[in-house]
Amino acid sequence: MNPSSGNDFDHPWLIERIPEEILGRYRKAMFRVRSSNEPLVILDSLAEMQEILQKVERAAVEEARAQGATWSQVAEALNRTRQAVEQRFR
């Protein structure tokens, strides 16, 4: 297994918004989850992935809004209320 093989993040808007260093950290954390037998290593890696996924989520919301999605559409995609989404991402 190679943590840097393939490009899991090939959306141009994502690459523009999230530095490659952060995307690389995600790939390495995923590699550790898949290759470790140590629960604490896996938990640490999952925590790092969650932190990065929050950044990816924000970037996706920003892109959706830039492409004309309404707050209601974004909320539906995230399975949250419009008010909660607007409050979090505005």
Side-chain angles (χ1 to χ4, degrees):
M1 283 187 193
N2 183 346
S4 61
S5 67
N7 190 356
D8 302 329
F9 303 97
D10 56 0
H11 303 292
W13 56 265
L14 184 59
I15 294 168
E16 289 173 10
R17 287 182 164 86
I18 307 290
E20 177 57 38
E21 173 190 337
I22 291 175
L23 298 177
R25 281 180 39 217
Y26 183 88
R27 289 184 197 98
K28 288 176 184 174
M30 176 58 83
F31 176 77
R32 288 191 307 271
V33 167
R34 295 178 68 194
S35 63
S36 179
N37 290 325
E38 297 293 327
L40 294 178
V41 170
I42 293 170
L43 289 171
D44 182 62
S45 298
L46 289 171
E48 183 170 15
M49 290 169 66
Q50 287 175 339
E51 175 190 324
I52 294 166
L53 285 173
Q54 287 178 354
K55 294 175 191 322
V56 172
E57 181 183 53
R58 179 168 292 281
V61 168
E62 290 171 358
E63 181 62 21
R65 294 287 294 150
Q67 290 184 16
T70 66
W71 284 114
S72 293
Q73 290 170 317
V74 172
E76 185 176 335
L78 292 172
N79 197 29
R80 298 184 188 145
T81 67
R82 180 192 56 79
Q83 294 86 351
V85 169
E86 241 183 299
Q87 198 171 47
R88 179 171 179 191
F89 296 105
R90 198 164 239 201

